[in-house]
Amino acid sequence: MPGLLTASWLETAGAWLLALLWLLPFAYAVWTAIHPAAYEVRFSLGAPLTLENFRAAWEAAPFARYMANTAVLVTVIMAVQFVLCTLAAYAFARFEFPGRNLLFYLVLLQLMIMPEMLMVENYRTISNMGLLDSLLAIGMPYFASAFGIFLLRQTFLATPRALEDAARIEGASTLGILWRVYVPLARPVYVAYGLVSISYHWNNLLWPLIVTNSVSTRPVTVGLQVFASPDQGTSWAIISAATLLTSAPLLVAFLLFQKQFIQSFMRAGIK
């Protein structure tokens, strides 16, 4: 019994330590964003509060445009992924055709390849198509998701065939069965995968940085690079304010829908 209590105490202490390590950078960002630059490394309870850093960050870059670009980008990517992954997963789960398993293994092979390894070929392809410096160029390489196909295929395989047979007896078409039987039952999985997709593409930096050149197509992650310009110096107060501005939508969404987020991930079987 004492050994179990000690192990439990150590686990609790380790969890609090990890939480503290995660919280410290965020707390520092909040501190520097709401205090003058003179207090970037001076932690005084009497330090004056200010929102000037947020105003300076907002005026230093067209954040409204960056936010709009990012919102459109993540929405389009998620919508296309839902359609393509649903159709592919349904085919792999319920259709019998030559080479089905081999094709599915090839899809899974994508999970083992780092996206950075394909950037040169992706850039060459996008350039040949004349799509450089566009939102379509940012999103196109991510339209087909091996993770989404795998996740939905496993969900569709777990759906009882009796439901499909009943719908077919009622005269439903193949797409009708998919839309009225499989998709509603997989709704928690769609929510969970949608959260993963939005979070990843909202924070994606390297590929958008490579294929965009103008303000009209840059997402917020690329827009943050304006604050890292060596000739302008580094103001951590303004950088922190800009970082909070770009991450605020995700933080607010999580706080508002935290319960739904957690339930969706638990029901989808991923953490």
Side-chain angles (χ1 to χ4, degrees), residues 123 132-134 208-218 222:
Y123 182 89
L132 287 178
D133 198 26
S134 67
L209 183 63
I210 292 174
V211 297
T212 58
N213 300 312
S214 61
V215 172
S216 61
T217 58
R218 288 173 182 163
V222 179

Side-chain angles (χ1 to χ4, degrees), residues 153-268:
R153 174 186 177 270
Q154 299 306 111
T155 303
F156 292 163
L157 284 175
T159 302
R161 277 192 177 271
L163 297 177
E164 179 179 346
D165 295 337
R168 199 175 299 278
I169 292 175
E170 293 294 330
S173 63
T174 300
L175 289 179
I177 294 173
L178 173 62
W179 179 250
R180 292 181 175 88
V181 176
Y182 287 92
V183 171
L185 292 176
R187 188 172 300 166
V189 178
Y190 283 106
V191 174
Y193 177 71
L195 299 177
V196 173
S197 176
I198 291 175
S199 177
Y200 177 82
H201 295 291
W202 188 282
N203 295 300
N204 194 15
L205 170 63
L206 186 55
W207 176 246
L209 183 63
I210 292 174
V211 297
T212 58
N213 300 312
S214 61
V215 172
S216 61
T217 58
R218 288 173 182 163
V220 290
T221 50
V222 179
L224 278 175
Q225 298 304 302
V226 69
F227 301 101
S229 179
D231 56 346
Q232 295 182 2
T234 300
S235 174
W236 288 109
I238 296 180
I239 291 176
S240 298
T243 302
L244 292 179
L245 284 174
T246 60
S247 59
L250 292 180
L251 291 174
V252 172
F254 179 78
L255 293 176
L256 291 177
F257 303 104
Q258 181 179 6
K259 183 178 180 180
Q260 292 86 338
F261 285 4
I262 296 175
Q263 289 179 347
S264 297
F265 278 107
M266 291 178 65
R267 293 184 63 183

Side-chain angles (χ1 to χ4, degrees), residues 26-88:
F26 179 75
Y28 176 76
V30 173
W31 170 271
T32 54
I34 62 177
H35 291 91
Y39 292 88
E40 289 179 357
V41 292
R42 290 172 55 193
F43 303 102
S44 173
L45 295 179
L49 301 177
T50 180
L51 296 178
E52 181 64 23
N53 297 320
F54 291 96
R55 185 193 64 80
W58 187 266
E59 294 178 352
F63 271 102
R65 181 67 181 186
Y66 294 156
M67 290 287 188
N69 290 342
T70 305
V72 171
L73 178 65
V74 299
T75 302
V76 170
I77 291 177
M78 183 180 64
V80 176
Q81 285 180 337
F82 278 176
V83 174
L84 295 181
C85 292
T86 298
L87 295 176

Side-chain angles (χ1 to χ4, degrees), residues 2-15:
L4 293 178
L5 291 177
T6 302
S8 177
W9 183 87
L10 290 176
E11 290 178 358
T12 303

Side-chain angles (χ1 to χ4, degrees), residues 73-169:
L73 178 65
V74 299
T75 302
V76 170
I77 291 177
M78 183 180 64
V80 176
Q81 285 180 337
F82 278 176
V83 174
L84 295 181
C85 292
T86 298
L87 295 176
Y90 185 47
F92 285 127
R94 292 310 190 200
F95 291 171
E96 295 288 344
F97 53 89
R100 183 184 68 169
N101 292 334
L102 176 61
L103 291 176
F104 182 65
Y105 294 149
L106 291 177
V107 170
L108 293 183
L109 187 62
Q110 180 187 342
L111 296 174
M112 306 177 189
I113 302 176
M114 297 295 294
E116 291 77 10
M117 297 178 61
L118 303 175
M119 283 189 175
V120 174
E121 289 300 323
N122 286 341
Y123 182 89
R124 185 178 302 169
T125 302
I126 295 296
S127 178
N128 292 336
M129 297 175 65
L131 296 177
L132 287 178
D133 198 26
S134 67
L135 293 179
L136 186 58
I138 303 175
M140 186 175 290
Y142 301 99
F143 284 167
S145 169
F147 175 67
I149 294 173
F150 170 76
L151 194 63
L152 289 172
R153 174 186 177 270
Q154 299 306 111
T155 303
F156 292 163
L157 284 175
T159 302
R161 277 192 177 271
L163 297 177
E164 179 179 346
D165 295 337
R168 199 175 299 278
I169 292 175

